[in-house]
Amino acid sequence: MALIVQKYGGTSVGTPERILNVARRVIASQQEGNSIVVVVSAMSGVTDGLIKLARDVSSQPTEREMDVLLATGEQTTIALTAMAINGLGGKAVSLTGAQAGIITNGIHTKAKISNIAPRQVRQYLKEGFVCIVAGFQGQTLEGRITTLGRGGSDLTAIAIAAAVKADMCEIYTDVDGVYTCDPRVVPNARKIDVIAYDELLEMASSGSKVMQSRSVEFAKKFKVPFEVRSSFNTNRGTIVKEESIGLENVVVRGVSIERKQAKVTITNVPDKPGTASRIFTALSEANVIIDVIVQNVSVSGSTDISFTLSADELEKLGNLIDRVAAEIGAGQVTKKSGIAKLSVVGIGMRSHSGVAATLFESLGHGGVNIQMISTSEIKIAVIIDEAQIELAAKLAHTAFGLDRVS
Ligand code: ADP
Ligand code: ASP
Ligand code: MG
């Protein structure tokens, strides 16, 4: 008998019919002799709807109350899923994040899990119940409701799987697994059979939102293998696990894109110790998250510095950067939205050369201009015009031999 954690995302529980589909799948899996913990997201669109409601009543909703509000999305789904299973003759019980023992720090809307004590889950499982746990939510030690950041039900599932020492963790979604690129962007993307944690982590943190990146980080840290698969069929999905021999034979595992980025350039920055620190300390104090940073070669004692951030963060920035530029005696500040990032990812890059050349050549031939470049051991990322991002993804996908052969 296996202990399985199954997570169903928003689309998979998006209608009453789909909740009944989940209920049938869960009952079937239990009838095969397994013990099942189910983690569910809010029905698709519900979290976005709640955020909109909050903004309708306040331009800056209090974060504590935001979490109280957002947690209701998942609370609706646990009740409906448990009712559906019970209605079909199964035996299920719903548990909020708090009841499932998920303790977090107090950083509202992006809380981190600090401890999990799933006593009630263990007890109900022992009594033969399917436990339906609300994803995305927890509580602080003082009992305040918190949420784990967008896509946080993935994290709930991985964390519960680690805590109950599940034999398997299955992430059910609306695609057949992790693809070589978002299949909505590159229609002939292929499903990946096996991927290393580090590769999915890089893909997820550079725009492939099929899994929340923090959940992959958690899975890597606590060595929780999992499978991403579809709730609409029974096809095998993508196994995500530690690196193993053979995985590095593939140079590029996948291509990620991230739209809605922005670029800030400060010209004529005095080229002396401490100026970069002044700029980036001010940004960090304003909690602005920076992505790629490029500093040019200095010409006659001054240099240009460019950095990227999400377009939303640019709004948060206001005129902060103009003030800092004036203080350090720099020249003009230009802010440009409408840019995007394309990343190619693969652990095979560590042992293969020519990856950058192949990427740049494919983009160059396709008429895509590269504005900035950044690399890590297993990733090469380029900043380009947002209008060309889909074209660029298709060019890179083909150049690295990732296209599906039909
Ligand atoms: P869920 O609601 O089940 O959590 P998400 O919408 O969060 O589902 O994630 C699934 C979506 O992720 C897919 O519909 C797909 O468009 C998108 N996606 C982005 N990149 C990839 C990728 N590389 N492989 C598969 N899906 C991807
Ligand atoms: N409902 C939350 C969101 O939309 C959490 C999740 O779906 O994983 O981000
Ligand atoms: Mg998701």
Side-chain angles (χ1 to χ4, degrees):
M1 184 171 107
L3 173 52
I4 304 176
V5 174
Q6 300 186 335
K7 179 251 167 178
Y8 292 90
T11 317
S12 304
V13 291
T15 62
E17 190 37 60
R18 287 187 175 169
I19 291 178
L20 281 162
N21 170 53
V22 167
R24 283 185 215 103
R25 293 180 73 110
V26 171
I27 290 172
S29 187
Q30 196 189 31
Q31 280 170 351
E32 285 166 17
N34 301 310
S35 270
I36 319 274
V37 180
V38 177
V39 174
V40 285
S41 292
M43 296 167 80
S44 58
V46 165
T47 307
D48 286 339
L50 291 170
I51 292 172
K52 188 177 172 301
L53 266 179
R55 299 233 164 96
D56 286 346
V57 297
S58 162
S59 59
Q60 280 189 312
T62 340
E63 294 203 313
R64 180 192 184 280
E65 306 315 326
M66 198 67 186
D67 276 350
V68 174
L69 178 71
L70 294 187
T72 63
E74 272 68 13
Q75 200 158 325
T76 305
T77 334
I78 52 170
L80 291 174
T81 309
M83 283 173 194
I85 292 175
N86 293 338
L88 291 170
K91 193 175 156 190
V93 66
S94 67
L95 295 167
T96 63
Q99 289 170 327
I102 296 183
I103 303 296
T104 72
N105 66 15
I107 314 289
H108 284 293
T109 74
K110 39 187 161 322
K112 288 204 165 138
I113 296 179
S114 50
N115 193 23
I116 313 164
R119 273 186 297 276
Q120 293 201 49
V121 173
R122 287 203 190 90
Q123 188 55 39
Y124 280 117
L125 285 176
K126 217 185 277 171
E127 292 168 23
F129 284 92
V130 176
C131 291
I132 316 290
V133 176
F136 178 54
Q137 53 171 265
Q139 75 169 349
T140 64
L141 274 176
E142 305 78 46
R144 274 184 285 132
I145 296 174
T146 50
T147 62
L148 310 175
R150 295 308 303 267
S153 299
D154 294 331
L155 179 56
T156 306
I158 303 280
I160 296 259
V164 299
K165 298 195 173 55
D167 298 296
M168 193 59 206
C169 180
E170 300 168 339
I171 307 289
Y172 287 96
T173 182
D174 56 3
V175 277
D176 276 7
V178 179
Y179 278 66
T180 47
C181 188
D182 187 342
R184 292 177 217 277
V185 176
V186 176
N188 57 2
R190 268 187 287 144
K191 186 180 77 188
I192 299 168
D193 292 329
V194 183
I195 188 168
Y197 291 129
D198 280 335
E199 292 174 320
L200 185 56
L201 188 52
E202 284 281 13
M203 284 178 72
S205 50
S206 55
S208 296
K209 299 250 157 58
V210 60
M211 284 293 290
Q212 188 209 33
S213 60
R214 277 173 54 197
S215 72
V216 185
E217 219 177 319
F218 195 103
K220 182 185 173 197
K221 189 164 167 195
F222 293 96
K223 297 189 169 53
V224 182
F226 61 95
E227 182 175 357
V228 181
R229 51 189 297 189
S230 169
S231 67
F232 302 131
N233 58 47
T234 54
N235 300 344
R236 295 315 306 185
T238 302
I239 301 285
V240 188
K241 62 182 195 60
E242 287 188 292
E243 265 175 49
S244 58
I245 297 167
L247 272 185
E248 75 276 14
N249 291 342
V250 173
V251 184
V252 170
R253 182 85 51 207
V255 175
S256 297
I257 65 166
E258 202 159 15
R259 300 174 206 261
K260 293 200 180 129
Q261 302 297 295
K263 182 170 78 171
V264 175
T265 301
I266 313 173
T267 57
N268 289 320
V269 178
D271 189 19
K272 58 181 189 209
T275 43
S277 146
R278 289 275 295 279
I279 297 168
F280 292 99
T281 303
L283 292 167
S284 123
E285 281 170 2
N287 284 322
V288 177
I289 298 163
I290 303 298
D291 189 9
V292 180
I293 302 173
V294 169
Q295 174 172 324
N296 278 352
V297 175
S298 146
V299 180
S300 10
S302 70
T303 178
D304 296 346
I305 295 182
S306 296
F307 58 87
T308 67
L309 66 178
S310 83
D312 296 345
E313 295 282 291
L314 184 64
E315 276 172 33
K316 240 169 71 180
L317 202 62
N319 64 359
L320 171 81
I321 210 70
D322 308 79
R323 283 204 313 270
V324 180
E327 276 168 32
I328 59 175
Q332 262 192 331
V333 176
T334 53
K335 299 171 193 163
K336 182 174 181 288
S337 51
I339 63 165
K341 185 169 76 169
L342 171 117
S343 309
V344 296
V345 174
I347 51 175
M349 275 183 214
R350 292 189 195 127
S351 48
H352 290 78
S353 58
V355 185
T358 305
L359 175 64
F360 301 161
E361 197 188 344
S362 71
L363 297 180
H365 277 154
V368 177
N369 188 43
I370 300 170
Q371 301 178 21
M372 289 163 98
I373 300 166
S374 119
T375 61
S376 79
E377 198 188 11
I378 65 163
K379 180 175 86 175
I380 300 178
V382 293
I383 301 294
I384 61 172
D385 244 4
E386 191 167 2
Q388 289 188 306
I389 192 68
E390 291 208 6
L391 166 68
K394 287 177 185 137
L395 290 168
H397 199 264
T398 305
F400 289 104
L402 299 173
D403 290 348
R404 184 158 30 95
V405 269
S406 44

